[in-house]
Amino acid sequence: MPRSVYVLAFGIFAMVTSEFAVAGLMPQMARGLGATIPQIGYLITAFAAAMAVGGPFMTVAVSRLRPRDALMTLFAVFLAGNVLAAVAPSYPVMMAARIITGVASQAFFGVTVSLAVRLARPEVRGRAIAVVMNGLMVGTLLGLPLSTMIGERFGWRAAFWAVGALTLVAAPATLWGVPRAGRDDGGVEGEGLRGQFAVFRGGRLLSAFLTSTLIIGATFSAFSYLNPILTGLAGFATGTVPYLLVAYGAATVAGNHVVGRLADRHTIAVQVYGLALNAVFLAGFALLAHVNVAAVTFMLGVGLVGVTMNPAMVTRVQRAGNAGPLVNTVHSSFITLGVIVGSSGGGLAIDAYGLRAPLWLGAALAVLGLLTLLPERGRGRASRRRRAATEPGTAKAPLPPA
């Protein structure tokens, strides 16, 4: 595996630490900005909306740059957004800061995944995607609880200053550790952006996008509100939550490793079993959230089979489309649409039905995700039957002459 792929994962780690920081600091930010918990949840929604809508446009804007130069540009925009978040005097300014960082993060994801595929040998591309996605998982494992602890000890603004400092480390590491490849052809040899736009006409690609949306929506309906659920229902002290989030992050790292190994050969099966298990874990979490041991057990289950589906999701999308940065960025937009659905839907559910409601919402979204995979499973069975019919030795032996 090229060393530069691990450097790219470090950049993703910085982006994810900023994205998830709000989830761990909801009560503190609500007090500091004079907002409610659901309103702080909408900052997660705004970040995701900026990623979903603005990310593809930003990707097109930097598409004429060499990949490494594009990443440096995106680091600069991302840093500016985090500095604005750290000094935000009001809720509207914080909202603007989250939009800026969201746009930069989305484009960064798309360019990074495409570049990782280009840098890796064909036989290890699935593992390369998993390594890059480990930046996401380690962001959940370390970035989220660390930003939460920093925010609790030094104030929530300090968490965003820390993300800014992390960016100032990740950007030079990328500059020195990633080769200055030529301008990206979008993963579509000789076609560039025109070739990337053409693949969006395929129904299988849109189906893959929809499944990804529901996988992430199911997970984020719970993840966005883990802090108030763990303190308000399970009865954990606020100071205990960062350690529980570390455990959740460790589960995502373990799950990502397993999925990365299976994604190439069992892409659809991984998604089917992952969604089924996530539905069970979320429903169990909702039923037993008031029992602290059960709550932690089901929370860890969600960590194992939630965002860890990313390598299988990316592999499916690239097979249905291509490995270009625009396809990867649009896929990330559908993923972050799932964040919007999960976080905003979870906030509305809390307002209407209480803290258990987003867990039930997540279980329902996981079931819907399973339904989107039924046509793909049918195509897979038909394909296996066709291969079996054409393989040598499967035809009936001719009758012996009379």
Side-chain angles (χ1 to χ4, degrees):
M1 187 67 61
R3 190 173 301 174
S4 53
V5 174
Y6 293 92
V7 176
L8 292 173
F10 184 45
I12 294 288
F13 170 76
M15 302 283 165
V16 170
T17 301
S18 176
E19 179 182 359
F20 290 170
V22 172
L25 295 170
M26 280 188 162
Q28 299 92 324
M29 292 184 67
R31 290 192 297 270
L33 293 171
T36 65
I37 290 292
Q39 284 177 322
I40 298 301
Y42 296 146
L43 291 175
I44 300 175
T45 305
F47 190 100
M51 292 178 77
V53 177
F57 290 102
M58 179 66 82
T59 300
V60 172
V62 300
S63 63
R64 295 187 178 278
L65 301 174
R66 295 174 185 267
R68 194 181 67 180
D69 297 338
L71 294 179
M72 291 301 103
T73 301
L74 296 170
F75 270 128
V77 176
F78 177 76
L79 177 62
N82 277 286
V83 170
L84 182 60
V87 301
S90 63
Y91 183 83
V93 175
M94 174 58 74
M95 181 67 75
R98 298 305 287 169
I99 291 171
I100 292 170
T101 50
V103 169
S105 295
Q106 184 75 319
F108 191 93
F109 270 77
V111 175
T112 297
V113 171
S114 179
L115 183 55
V117 170
R118 293 179 62 192
L119 293 172
R121 301 188 309 276
E123 64 271 18
V124 295
R125 283 178 176 172
R127 291 175 60 189
I129 294 170
V131 168
V132 170
M133 288 299 106
N134 257 336
L136 171 62
M137 309 310 158
V138 176
T140 309
L141 172 63
L142 297 178
L144 172 58
L146 283 176
S147 64
T148 301
M149 284 189 279
I150 290 171
E152 288 179 348
R153 293 196 174 194
F154 304 105
W156 62 266
R157 296 180 187 278
F160 291 98
W161 284 118
V163 172
L166 184 62
T167 305
L168 292 176
V169 175
T174 302
L175 186 63
W176 296 326
V178 174
R180 193 170 186 262
R183 187 173 69 84
D184 205 338
D185 63 8
V188 186
E189 197 67 35
E191 295 184 13
L193 282 174
R194 181 176 297 178
Q196 293 186 72
F197 279 114
V199 301
F200 292 104
R201 300 169 188 165
R204 292 188 69 182
L205 182 59
L206 294 177
S207 176
F209 287 160
L210 178 58
T211 305
S212 295
T213 297
L214 292 168
I215 288 172
I216 299 303
T219 303
F220 265 79
S221 62
F223 176 78
S224 300
Y225 301 96
L226 281 181
N227 192 323
I229 289 171
L230 291 171
T231 56
L233 290 179
F236 288 102
T238 301
T240 306
V241 171
Y243 301 102
L244 296 176
L245 295 178
V246 168
Y248 178 91
T252 67
V253 171
N256 184 67
H257 178 75
V258 173
V259 172
R261 295 284 180 174
L262 298 174
D264 283 323
R265 290 186 298 171
H266 307 288
T267 308
I268 301 301
V270 165
Q271 291 182 305
V272 168
Y273 288 112
L275 278 165
L277 287 171
N278 209 14
V280 171
F281 291 142
L282 286 164
F285 198 173
L287 287 170
L288 298 173
H290 59 286
V291 181
N292 54 21
V293 174
V296 171
T297 300
F298 287 120
M299 180 193 72
L300 295 179
V302 173
L304 282 171
V305 297
V307 294
T308 58
M309 294 295 106
N310 263 299
M313 289 153 49
V314 171
T315 299
R316 181 184 174 196
V317 163
Q318 292 187 352
R319 287 175 180 171
N322 60 50
L326 185 58
V327 169
N328 285 310
T329 301
V330 172
H331 180 216
S332 294
S333 293
F334 275 85
I335 288 174
T336 51
L337 177 60
V339 177
I340 295 170
V341 170
S343 60
S344 61
L348 292 172
I350 289 174
D351 282 340
Y353 302 106
L355 286 172
R356 295 178 195 267
L359 302 173
W360 287 118
L361 174 63
L365 292 174
V367 171
L368 288 176
L370 277 172
L371 295 178
T372 68
L373 289 168
L374 292 178
E376 196 70 28
R377 293 284 284 180
R379 280 192 290 265
R381 285 192 293 268
S383 177
R384 287 192 295 272
R385 283 196 296 267
R386 286 194 297 270
R387 285 198 302 269
T390 57
E391 284 176 359
T394 60
K396 293 182 179 179
L399 292 173

